[in-house]
Amino acid sequence: MKPSTLEEAVALTQKFTSKPSNEELLKLYGLYKQATEGDNEGERPGGFDFKAAAKYNSWLAYKGKSKSEAAELYVELVGQLAEKYV
């Protein structure tokens, strides 16, 4: 069950029967944001909002990748995760 588009991959994540690890979820988040919005130009969250900071850093890790390249990586990652979680 390999997705071929970003939309198919997003739909497939809804069918996961168990939750991916935090590291996997952060990769999915960062790639999705890069694929849909491009480079992260926002302000880094401050204080003790560790969850927001982790998400910010995950998205920032893909800076410079084109939206289509990030979408391809997202689709590929979802395909790999589907083997474990669907």
Side-chain angles (χ1 to χ4, degrees):
M1 182 183 321
K2 293 266 185 202
S4 58
T5 66
L6 184 65
E7 293 76 22
E8 286 177 14
V10 170
L12 184 54
T13 63
Q14 303 302 311
K15 296 178 182 168
F16 286 3
T17 55
S18 57
K19 186 177 173 186
S21 71
N22 286 341
E23 183 180 326
E24 291 165 335
L25 289 171
L26 283 170
K27 280 184 181 178
L28 286 170
Y29 175 84
L31 284 168
Y32 180 81
K33 293 294 275 186
Q34 188 69 23
T36 57
E37 297 184 29
D39 286 346
N40 183 350
E41 303 292 347
E43 294 271 323
R44 178 169 169 65
F48 293 97
D49 193 346
F50 299 116
K51 185 175 178 181
K55 290 169 90 172
Y56 177 92
N57 290 336
S58 178
W59 182 7
L60 196 62
Y62 299 105
K63 186 172 185 157
K65 289 207 181 301
S66 69
K67 288 182 178 183
S68 61
E69 188 179 4
E72 286 176 31
L73 290 170
Y74 181 88
V75 168
E76 189 177 304
L77 179 59
V78 170
Q80 293 169 0
L81 294 177
E83 294 175 16
K84 293 198 303 194
Y85 298 112
V86 174

